Amino acid sequence: TEKMLPIDMEATPDGKFLLVTTFAKTSVDEISLVDERIIKQVDLTTQAEEIIIDKTANKAYVSSSAGSSIYIIDLNTMTLKQKIKVKGICEKLSLSDDGKKMFYTDKKNNDVWVIELDNGFVIKNIGKFPNVSKIVFTQNKIYITSRTKNRLAIFDYVTMSLMNEIAVEAKPID
């Protein structure tokens, strides 16, 4: 059974709590790292999955592919602040270093999307990229690796165009 199997977990920036998402639950558990007890559950409306933390803004972003949503949790109050409706079935969340852009893939059709968190949550399509392993954004460039193809794609964020593709060594499937 999948019940109570963790999907993802991240420690809060202060190192005091662990946020955990679990199969068959529509909440995020806040677990004390002092005594390993569940302190609070932040209720969402759909299955909670991946978690990423913005350490500067002290926020957690939690994906829900079933709800085509990303939830924003304020880590200071451990409360749900906002729900962002996204395009597609989101997975592979990635946050820019400055916390202004979040990237994700649509696992149904392999589209890569960006949400401009500092621009009214505008959502832009970057294009199709099959079997995304990782997305990194730095210096106005988007770097995307594939789980199945031995390549690294480099996109220019300003023009939203492919700049280059580089062959890379084969890696284990993640």
Side-chain angles (χ1 to χ4, degrees):
T1 178
E2 289 184 335
K3 278 194 177 286
M4 301 311 293
L5 288 175
I7 296 172
D8 199 6
M9 62 183 158
E10 288 288 336
T12 57
D14 62 11
K16 294 180 180 178
F17 304 100
L18 189 66
L19 301 180
V20 180
T21 57
T22 308
F23 281 102
K25 282 183 78 174
T26 60
S27 61
V28 177
D29 292 333
E30 176 190 9
I31 298 172
S32 168
L33 293 176
V34 172
D35 58 10
E36 286 83 36
R37 290 185 310 115
I38 294 176
I39 301 297
K40 185 174 186 177
Q41 292 182 321
V42 179
D43 292 318
L44 312 177
T45 55
T46 55
Q47 170 71 60
E49 295 169 338
E50 294 177 45
I51 305 167
I52 57 173
I53 303 283
D54 181 339
K55 293 177 181 165
T56 305
N58 216 31
K59 294 178 183 175
Y61 295 92
V62 181
S63 69
S64 173
S65 60
S68 293
S69 301
I70 296 172
Y71 296 92
I72 303 173
I73 297 172
D74 181 329
L75 296 178
N76 296 314
T77 60
M78 211 51 77
T79 56
L80 177 63
K81 286 298 178 194
Q82 193 160 358
K83 174 182 172 181
I84 306 168
K85 195 74 174 151
V86 297
K87 312 236 190 241
I89 301 170
C90 54
E91 69 172 357
K92 300 290 182 188
L93 297 183
S94 175
L95 188 65
S96 63
D97 290 339
D98 62 8
K100 294 180 179 180
K101 294 171 182 52
M102 181 183 308
F103 299 85
Y104 71 91
T105 62
D106 177 349
K107 65 179 160 187
K108 185 175 181 180
N109 67 15
N110 296 315
D111 277 343
V112 176
W113 297 88
V114 61
I115 304 168
E116 294 183 346
L117 301 172
D118 63 340
N119 186 22
F121 302 107
V122 168
I123 300 174
K124 297 179 180 177
N125 184 285
I126 294 167
K128 289 197 182 304
F129 196 87
N131 301 307
V132 169
S133 174
K134 188 159 181 84
I135 303 170
V136 172
F137 178 79
T138 187
Q139 299 176 0
N140 269 340
K141 292 185 182 83
I142 307 161
Y143 298 86
I144 303 173
T145 56
S146 169
R147 287 192 307 264
T148 54
K149 307 277 185 196
N150 299 331
R151 65 181 180 150
L152 167 69
I154 305 167
F155 290 86
D156 182 300
Y157 188 77
V158 176
T159 64
M160 285 294 184
S161 60
L162 181 65
M163 293 175 60
N164 199 3
E165 269 190 310
I166 300 169
V168 293
E169 291 294 319
K171 67 174 202 66
I173 302 294
D174 58 358

